[in-house]
Amino acid sequence: MISSRILTSFYGKTSYFQNVSRCCAENYSTHNFKELKKFYKQCFISKTDDGYEVNLDKHKLKTPFGKLFKVPTEALALAVATEWNAQQSVVKRHTMSLTALCNTAIDNPTGRTKDVVIAGILELLDTDTICYRLEEPPELVELQKDKWNPWLKWFHERYGVSLEVTTGIAVPTVPPNSKEILRQHLNSYNDWALVGYQQAVEAIKSFILATATIDRTLGVENAVELARLETDYQTSLWGDVEWHHGIDRLDLNTRLASAVLFVHANSSDFVTTFSRMSASRPI
């Protein structure tokens, strides 16, 4: 769980990342993972020549594949240590989303290269949620135009790319030069940050909305609301499926919020003045 106090130390007193933090903290309880009895007293970080290690008492943290848990930035190490120090009598691994993303980045279970990851993210652009429109009912058609078109316009102006929308089953056409521009954009991120970027896109099924969120132009909760536009419209007419819709919304908030944090915690311009010792104190 990443507290607003730590995020403020990372970014300054900005409501954007405090809201991201709140999304993570409020929604972790929606998952149901096997719990593990807490086996350590304190988690702290240590600097090495090529990164930061996370330690549980005197033991170095390892990944599921048995690799040494080492992250590239102090900010990310502090965030992970905070997740571990926030655990009480049992280790609730579903509350440690950043730790899970680190494990994916370190273990790279499918052995993908950076180019393969970028290509995979760009493929999701072909099925971007806000590029697929319905032709009826009229109220939903207008709602999609009103809510989604401004973000298509923003995307065009921000990156100089053109995307078409479709009302059929055909995949919208993405011009090759537009994909190349976006490929270069993604290539500006390092391998670790791309792990978070991919999770953000996959979570809300929209490259455009995920990019706007990572760009700090769109808030996490607003991005999820836009991604769930059709679902929420149908729910307003027919009602919620008991538990399902609410849990799904909270799950999306959590996945997107943690992904955004992960991207920025791995950015080269990310600076923290937060003391390393602060991570050893439970939040």
Coordinates of all heavy atoms in Angstrom, one line a residue, residues 76 97-98 101-102 105 192-197 257-267:
L76 N 11.3 3.5 -6.2 CA 10.6 2.2 -6.4 C 10.9 1.3 -5.2 O 10.1 0.6 -4.6 CB 11.0 1.5 -7.7 CG 10.2 0.2 -8.0 CD1 8.7 0.4 -8.0 CD2 10.6 -0.3 -9.4
S97 N 0.9 -4.6 -5.2 CA 0.9 -4.6 -6.6 C 2.2 -4.1 -7.3 O 2.6 -4.6 -8.3 CB -0.2 -3.6 -7.1 OG -0.5 -3.7 -8.4
L98 N 2.9 -3.2 -6.6 CA 4.2 -2.8 -7.1 C 5.2 -3.9 -7.0 O 6.1 -4.1 -7.9 CB 4.7 -1.5 -6.4 CG 3.8 -0.3 -6.6 CD1 4.3 0.9 -5.8 CD2 3.8 0.1 -8.1
L101 N 4.6 -6.2 -10.0 CA 5.1 -5.6 -11.2 C 6.7 -5.7 -11.3 O 7.2 -6.0 -12.3 CB 4.7 -4.2 -11.4 CG 3.2 -3.9 -11.8 CD1 2.8 -2.5 -11.5 CD2 3.0 -4.3 -13.2
C102 N 7.3 -5.5 -10.1 CA 8.8 -5.7 -10.1 C 9.1 -7.1 -10.4 O 10.1 -7.4 -11.2 CB 9.3 -5.3 -8.7 SG 9.3 -3.6 -8.4
A105 N 9.0 -7.7 -14.1 CA 10.1 -7.0 -14.8 C 11.4 -7.8 -14.6 O 12.2 -7.9 -15.5 CB 10.3 -5.6 -14.3
W192 N 11.7 -1.4 -17.7 CA 10.9 -1.5 -16.5 C 9.6 -0.7 -16.6 O 8.5 -1.2 -16.3 CB 11.7 -1.1 -15.3 CG 12.6 -2.1 -14.8 CD1 13.7 -2.6 -15.4 CD2 12.5 -2.8 -13.5 NE1 14.3 -3.5 -14.6 CE2 13.6 -3.7 -13.4 CE3 11.7 -2.7 -12.4 CZ2 13.9 -4.5 -12.3 CZ3 11.9 -3.5 -11.3 CH2 13.0 -4.4 -11.3
A193 N 9.7 0.5 -17.1 CA 8.5 1.4 -17.2 C 7.5 0.8 -18.2 O 6.3 0.9 -18.0 CB 9.0 2.8 -17.7
L194 N 8.0 0.1 -19.2 CA 7.1 -0.5 -20.2 C 6.2 -1.6 -19.6 O 5.1 -1.8 -20.1 CB 7.9 -1.0 -21.4 CG 8.4 0.1 -22.3 CD1 9.4 -0.6 -23.4 CD2 7.3 0.8 -23.0
V195 N 6.7 -2.2 -18.6 CA 5.9 -3.3 -17.9 C 4.7 -2.6 -17.3 O 3.6 -3.1 -17.4 CB 6.8 -4.0 -16.8 CG1 5.9 -4.9 -15.9 CG2 7.9 -4.8 -17.4
G196 N 4.9 -1.4 -16.7 CA 3.7 -0.7 -16.1 C 2.9 -0.1 -17.2 O 1.6 -0.2 -17.1
Y197 N 3.5 0.3 -18.3 CA 2.7 0.9 -19.4 C 1.8 -0.1 -20.0 O 0.6 0.1 -20.2 CB 3.6 1.4 -20.5 CG 3.1 2.6 -21.3 CD1 3.8 3.8 -21.3 CD2 2.0 2.5 -22.0 CE1 3.3 4.9 -22.1 CE2 1.5 3.6 -22.8 CZ 2.2 4.8 -22.8 OH 1.7 5.8 -23.5
A257 N -3.9 2.4 -11.3 CA -3.2 3.3 -10.4 C -1.8 2.7 -10.1 O -0.8 3.5 -10.2 CB -3.9 3.4 -9.1
S258 N -1.7 1.4 -9.9 CA -0.3 0.9 -9.6 C 0.5 0.9 -10.9 O 1.8 1.1 -10.8 CB -0.5 -0.6 -9.1 OG -1.2 -1.4 -10.1
A259 N -0.1 0.7 -12.0 CA 0.7 0.8 -13.3 C 1.3 2.2 -13.5 O 2.4 2.4 -13.9 CB -0.2 0.4 -14.4
V260 N 0.5 3.2 -13.3 CA 0.9 4.6 -13.4 C 2.1 4.9 -12.5 O 3.1 5.5 -12.9 CB -0.3 5.6 -13.2 CG1 0.2 7.0 -13.2 CG2 -1.3 5.4 -14.3
L261 N 1.9 4.5 -11.2 CA 3.0 4.7 -10.2 C 4.3 4.0 -10.7 O 5.3 4.6 -10.6 CB 2.5 4.2 -8.9 CG 1.5 5.0 -8.1 CD1 1.1 4.3 -6.8 CD2 2.2 6.4 -7.7
F262 N 4.1 2.8 -11.2 CA 5.3 2.0 -11.6 C 6.0 2.7 -12.7 O 7.2 2.7 -12.8 CB 4.8 0.6 -12.0 CG 5.9 -0.4 -12.1 CD1 6.5 -1.0 -11.0 CD2 6.4 -0.7 -13.4 CE1 7.5 -1.9 -11.1 CE2 7.5 -1.7 -13.5 CZ 8.0 -2.2 -12.3
V263 N 5.3 3.2 -13.7 CA 5.9 3.9 -14.8 C 6.7 5.1 -14.4 O 7.9 5.2 -14.7 CB 4.8 4.4 -15.9 CG1 5.5 5.3 -16.9 CG2 4.2 3.2 -16.5
H264 N 6.1 5.9 -13.5 CA 6.8 7.1 -13.0 C 8.0 6.8 -12.1 O 9.0 7.5 -12.1 CB 5.8 8.1 -12.4 CG 5.0 8.7 -13.4 ND1 5.4 9.7 -14.3 CD2 3.7 8.5 -13.8 CE1 4.4 10.1 -15.1 NE2 3.4 9.4 -14.8
A265 N 7.8 5.7 -11.3 CA 8.9 5.4 -10.4 C 10.1 4.8 -11.1 O 11.2 4.7 -10.5 CB 8.4 4.3 -9.4
N266 N 9.9 4.5 -12.4 CA 11.0 4.0 -13.2 C 11.5 5.0 -14.2 O 12.3 4.6 -15.0 CB 10.6 2.7 -13.9 CG 10.6 1.5 -12.9 OD1 11.7 1.0 -12.5 ND2 9.4 1.0 -12.6
S267 N 11.0 6.2 -14.1 CA 11.4 7.2 -15.1 C 12.8 7.8 -14.6 O 13.0 8.0 -13.4 CB 10.4 8.3 -15.2 OG 9.2 7.8 -15.7

